Amino acid sequence: MKAKSRRVIETGKRTLAFNQAHPGGTAGDAIAVTRLGDLLASAEKLAVEQRNGTQEVRGATATKFRLRNTIRKVHVDHLIRIARSAAEEVPELVQTFARPKNLPYAEFRIAAGSLADLAMANRDLLVKYGLAEPVLTDLQHALAKFDEAETRGGEGRRAHIGASAALDAISKQIMQVVRGMDGHNRFRFADNPDLLATWESESSLVATPRPAPEEAAARAGAAPPAASGSNPAA
Protein backbone atom coordinates (compact mmCIF):
# COMPACT_ATOMS: atom_id res chain seq x y z
CA MET A 1 0.00 0.00 0.00
CA LYS A 2 1.26 3.47 -0.84
CA ALA A 3 2.29 5.55 2.15
CA LYS A 4 -0.21 8.28 1.26
CA SER A 5 -3.11 5.84 1.02
CA ARG A 6 -2.11 4.32 4.36
CA ARG A 7 -2.07 7.77 6.00
CA VAL A 8 -5.45 8.64 4.51
CA ILE A 9 -7.00 5.42 5.81
CA GLU A 10 -5.56 6.01 9.28
CA THR A 11 -6.91 9.56 9.22
CA GLY A 12 -10.30 8.22 8.17
CA LYS A 13 -10.33 5.76 11.07
CA ARG A 14 -9.48 8.46 13.60
CA THR A 15 -12.07 10.79 12.11
CA LEU A 16 -14.75 8.11 12.17
CA ALA A 17 -14.03 7.30 15.81
CA PHE A 18 -14.18 10.99 16.76
CA ASN A 19 -17.51 11.60 15.04
CA GLN A 20 -18.98 8.45 16.51
CA ALA A 21 -17.93 9.64 19.96
CA HIS A 22 -19.22 13.18 19.27
CA PRO A 23 -22.23 12.81 16.92
CA GLY A 24 -23.45 15.93 15.20
CA GLY A 25 -27.11 15.07 15.57
CA THR A 26 -28.10 15.93 11.99
CA ALA A 27 -29.10 13.75 9.06
CA GLY A 28 -26.08 14.98 7.11
CA ASP A 29 -23.73 13.96 9.91
CA ALA A 30 -25.27 10.49 10.10
CA ILE A 31 -24.97 10.04 6.34
CA ALA A 32 -21.33 11.18 6.37
CA VAL A 33 -20.44 8.82 9.21
CA THR A 34 -22.11 5.88 7.45
CA ARG A 35 -20.41 6.70 4.17
CA LEU A 36 -17.03 7.03 5.84
CA GLY A 37 -17.48 3.67 7.58
CA ASP A 38 -18.42 2.01 4.29
CA LEU A 39 -15.41 3.52 2.51
CA LEU A 40 -13.05 2.37 5.24
CA ALA A 41 -14.48 -1.15 5.13
CA SER A 42 -13.97 -1.23 1.36
CA ALA A 43 -10.43 0.07 1.80
CA GLU A 44 -9.64 -2.74 4.23
CA LYS A 45 -10.88 -5.35 1.76
CA LEU A 46 -8.82 -3.78 -1.02
CA ALA A 47 -5.75 -3.76 1.21
CA VAL A 48 -6.19 -7.50 1.76
CA GLU A 49 -6.56 -8.06 -1.99
CA GLN A 50 -3.46 -5.99 -2.65
CA ARG A 51 -1.46 -7.88 -0.05
CA ASN A 52 -2.68 -11.25 -1.35
CA GLY A 53 -1.72 -10.25 -4.88
CA THR A 54 1.78 -9.36 -3.73
CA GLN A 55 2.15 -12.66 -1.89
CA GLU A 56 0.90 -14.56 -4.93
CA VAL A 57 3.51 -12.88 -7.13
CA ARG A 58 6.28 -13.61 -4.64
CA GLY A 59 5.22 -17.22 -4.28
CA ALA A 60 5.05 -17.71 -8.04
CA THR A 61 8.48 -16.13 -8.49
CA ALA A 62 9.97 -18.42 -5.84
CA THR A 63 8.44 -21.44 -7.59
CA LYS A 64 9.82 -20.39 -10.97
CA PHE A 65 13.24 -19.77 -9.46
CA ARG A 66 13.29 -23.26 -7.96
CA LEU A 67 12.01 -24.92 -11.13
CA ARG A 68 14.48 -23.05 -13.33
CA ASN A 69 17.38 -24.26 -11.21
CA THR A 70 16.10 -27.84 -11.24
CA ILE A 71 15.47 -27.85 -14.98
CA ARG A 72 18.93 -26.44 -15.71
CA LYS A 73 20.86 -28.68 -13.32
CA VAL A 74 18.92 -31.92 -13.76
CA HIS A 75 16.92 -32.14 -16.96
CA VAL A 76 18.91 -29.91 -19.33
CA ASP A 77 22.28 -31.26 -18.21
CA HIS A 78 21.13 -34.82 -18.87
CA LEU A 79 19.74 -33.97 -22.33
CA ILE A 80 22.86 -32.08 -23.39
CA ARG A 81 25.22 -34.85 -22.27
CA ILE A 82 23.19 -37.45 -24.15
CA ALA A 83 23.00 -35.20 -27.22
CA ARG A 84 26.79 -34.84 -27.22
CA SER A 85 27.11 -38.58 -27.22
CA ALA A 86 24.54 -38.93 -29.99
CA ALA A 87 26.41 -36.30 -32.03
CA GLU A 88 28.76 -39.09 -33.09
CA GLU A 89 25.86 -40.24 -35.27
CA VAL A 90 24.12 -36.87 -35.87
CA PRO A 91 26.73 -34.05 -35.50
CA GLU A 92 24.22 -31.19 -35.68
CA LEU A 93 22.76 -32.21 -32.32
CA VAL A 94 25.64 -30.39 -30.61
CA GLN A 95 24.33 -27.10 -31.99
CA THR A 96 20.62 -27.75 -31.56
CA PHE A 97 20.94 -28.90 -27.93
CA ALA A 98 22.41 -25.65 -26.62
CA ARG A 99 22.41 -24.93 -22.89
CA PRO A 100 20.03 -22.07 -21.93
CA LYS A 101 21.95 -19.26 -20.31
CA ASN A 102 20.79 -17.37 -17.22
CA LEU A 103 17.82 -15.93 -19.08
CA PRO A 104 14.75 -14.08 -17.77
CA TYR A 105 11.94 -16.44 -16.88
CA ALA A 106 9.92 -15.98 -20.08
CA GLU A 107 12.94 -16.52 -22.34
CA PHE A 108 14.13 -19.45 -20.26
CA ARG A 109 10.72 -21.10 -20.60
CA ILE A 110 10.93 -20.82 -24.39
CA ALA A 111 14.46 -22.22 -24.49
CA ALA A 112 13.69 -25.11 -22.13
CA GLY A 113 10.49 -25.91 -24.01
CA SER A 114 12.42 -26.01 -27.28
CA LEU A 115 14.90 -28.47 -25.77
CA ALA A 116 12.06 -30.67 -24.56
CA ASP A 117 10.51 -30.63 -28.05
CA LEU A 118 13.86 -31.49 -29.64
CA ALA A 119 14.35 -34.35 -27.23
CA MET A 120 10.89 -35.71 -28.01
CA ALA A 121 11.55 -35.42 -31.75
CA ASN A 122 14.87 -37.28 -31.39
CA ARG A 123 13.83 -39.60 -28.57
CA ASP A 124 14.57 -42.87 -30.33
CA LEU A 125 18.07 -41.73 -31.22
CA LEU A 126 18.77 -40.30 -27.76
CA VAL A 127 17.56 -43.47 -26.04
CA LYS A 128 20.25 -45.38 -27.93
CA TYR A 129 22.83 -43.17 -26.24
CA GLY A 130 21.46 -43.37 -22.72
CA LEU A 131 18.50 -41.04 -22.52
CA ALA A 132 16.55 -41.72 -19.32
CA GLU A 133 12.98 -41.29 -20.51
CA PRO A 134 11.66 -40.53 -17.00
CA VAL A 135 13.90 -37.44 -17.02
CA LEU A 136 12.22 -36.25 -20.23
CA THR A 137 8.78 -36.98 -18.79
CA ASP A 138 9.64 -35.12 -15.60
CA LEU A 139 10.92 -32.17 -17.64
CA GLN A 140 7.50 -31.88 -19.26
CA HIS A 141 5.86 -31.94 -15.83
CA ALA A 142 8.29 -29.29 -14.56
CA LEU A 143 7.50 -27.07 -17.53
CA ALA A 144 3.78 -27.47 -16.86
CA LYS A 145 4.34 -26.40 -13.24
CA PHE A 146 6.39 -23.48 -14.49
CA ASP A 147 3.47 -22.40 -16.67
CA GLU A 148 1.09 -22.70 -13.73
CA ALA A 149 3.37 -20.50 -11.62
CA GLU A 150 3.54 -17.95 -14.44
CA THR A 151 -0.25 -17.87 -14.59
CA ARG A 152 -0.55 -17.44 -10.82
CA GLY A 153 2.01 -14.67 -10.86
CA GLY A 154 0.17 -12.85 -13.64
CA GLU A 155 -3.14 -13.12 -11.79
CA GLY A 156 -1.51 -11.89 -8.58
CA ARG A 157 0.10 -8.97 -10.41
CA ARG A 158 -3.22 -7.95 -11.96
CA ALA A 159 -4.96 -8.23 -8.58
CA HIS A 160 -2.29 -6.08 -6.95
CA ILE A 161 -2.46 -3.42 -9.66
CA GLY A 162 -6.26 -3.34 -9.61
CA ALA A 163 -6.45 -3.11 -5.83
CA SER A 164 -3.78 -0.39 -5.77
CA ALA A 165 -5.70 1.72 -8.27
CA ALA A 166 -8.94 1.21 -6.34
CA LEU A 167 -7.20 2.17 -3.07
CA ASP A 168 -5.96 5.39 -4.64
CA ALA A 169 -9.50 6.22 -5.73
CA ILE A 170 -11.13 5.32 -2.43
CA SER A 171 -8.51 7.31 -0.51
CA LYS A 172 -9.60 10.43 -2.38
CA GLN A 173 -13.23 9.71 -1.46
CA ILE A 174 -12.29 9.27 2.21
CA MET A 175 -10.57 12.64 2.27
CA GLN A 176 -13.59 14.25 0.60
CA VAL A 177 -15.81 13.00 3.41
CA VAL A 178 -13.31 14.13 6.06
CA ARG A 179 -13.12 17.60 4.53
CA GLY A 180 -16.90 17.74 4.47
CA MET A 181 -16.99 16.90 8.17
CA ASP A 182 -14.31 19.46 8.91
CA GLY A 183 -16.43 22.53 8.19
CA HIS A 184 -19.32 21.42 10.39
CA ASN A 185 -17.07 20.28 13.24
CA ARG A 186 -15.23 23.59 13.27
CA PHE A 187 -18.61 25.28 13.50
CA ARG A 188 -19.81 22.92 16.24
CA PHE A 189 -16.71 23.27 18.39
CA ALA A 190 -15.98 26.95 17.82
CA ASP A 191 -16.67 27.59 21.52
CA ASN A 192 -14.98 24.41 22.73
CA PRO A 193 -11.24 24.81 22.10
CA ASP A 194 -10.36 21.43 23.60
CA LEU A 195 -12.63 19.45 21.29
CA LEU A 196 -11.69 21.66 18.35
CA ALA A 197 -8.01 20.97 18.94
CA THR A 198 -8.75 17.25 19.23
CA TRP A 199 -10.70 17.32 15.99
CA GLU A 200 -7.92 19.17 14.19
CA SER A 201 -5.41 16.61 15.41
CA GLU A 202 -7.53 13.57 14.52
CA SER A 203 -8.47 14.84 11.07
CA SER A 204 -4.98 15.96 10.03
CA LEU A 205 -3.11 13.96 7.44
CA VAL A 206 0.16 13.25 9.21
CA ALA A 207 3.11 13.02 6.84
CA THR A 208 5.47 10.08 6.96
CA PRO A 209 8.56 11.24 8.86
CA ARG A 210 11.70 11.46 6.78
CA PRO A 211 14.67 9.41 8.01
CA ALA A 212 17.76 11.13 9.31
CA PRO A 213 20.54 11.59 6.71
CA GLU A 214 22.59 8.79 8.30
CA GLU A 215 19.61 6.39 8.16
CA ALA A 216 18.75 7.32 4.58
CA ALA A 217 22.35 6.79 3.51
CA ALA A 218 22.46 3.41 5.25
CA ARG A 219 19.30 2.29 3.42
CA ALA A 220 20.81 3.36 0.11
CA GLY A 221 24.11 1.66 0.90
CA ALA A 222 26.01 4.92 0.69
CA ALA A 223 28.27 6.64 3.15
CA PRO A 224 26.47 9.19 5.36
CA PRO A 225 27.10 12.83 4.47
CA ALA A 226 30.07 14.33 6.27
CA ALA A 227 29.30 16.71 9.08
CA SER A 228 29.88 20.31 8.10
CA GLY A 229 32.94 21.86 9.65
CA SER A 230 33.14 25.16 11.44
CA ASN A 231 32.46 28.25 9.37
CA PRO A 232 35.79 29.95 8.64
CA ALA A 233 34.05 33.28 8.56
CA ALA A 234 32.61 32.84 12.02
Side-chain angles (χ1 to χ4, degrees), residues 82-102:
I82 298 303
R84 286 173 180 171
S85 298
E88 297 177 3
E89 184 174 337
V90 183
E92 59 267 25
L93 287 180
V94 173
Q95 299 298 325
T96 55
F97 279 82
R99 185 185 305 276
K101 298 179 181 179
N102 191 22

Side-chain angles (χ1 to χ4, degrees), residues 55-141:
Q55 292 174 344
E56 194 68 38
V57 171
R58 290 174 179 171
T61 301
T63 298
K64 289 188 293 183
F65 180 82
R66 175 178 55 79
L67 287 170
R68 183 174 63 179
N69 285 344
T70 300
I71 290 170
R72 288 179 62 191
K73 295 178 180 179
V74 177
H75 307 91
V76 170
D77 274 4
H78 178 67
L79 292 180
I80 289 178
R81 287 169 182 164
I82 298 303
R84 286 173 180 171
S85 298
E88 297 177 3
E89 184 174 337
V90 183
E92 59 267 25
L93 287 180
V94 173
Q95 299 298 325
T96 55
F97 279 82
R99 185 185 305 276
K101 298 179 181 179
N102 191 22
L103 301 171
Y105 289 120
E107 294 179 34
F108 174 82
R109 171 61 181 85
I110 293 172
S114 296
L115 278 178
D117 292 341
L118 281 170
M120 286 296 296
N122 294 275
R123 182 172 57 181
D124 293 340
L125 172 64
L126 297 177
V127 167
K128 288 169 53 179
Y129 289 88
L131 172 66
E133 293 191 77
V135 173
L136 183 56
T137 301
D138 193 67
L139 171 58
Q140 294 170 330
H141 290 162

Side-chain angles (χ1 to χ4, degrees), residues 56 59-61 63-64 67 144-154:
E56 194 68 38
T61 301
T63 298
K64 289 188 293 183
L67 287 170
K145 292 178 181 178
F146 194 99
D147 292 339
E148 291 173 3
E150 183 65 30
T151 299
R152 292 199 314 272

Side-chain angles (χ1 to χ4, degrees), residues 156-180:
R157 193 172 297 107
R158 286 189 292 273
H160 174 85
I161 293 172
S164 297
L167 272 171
D168 288 344
I170 210 166
S171 295
K172 294 177 182 178
Q173 296 178 53
I174 289 172
M175 285 311 300
Q176 288 174 353
V177 176
V178 172
R179 292 190 186 104

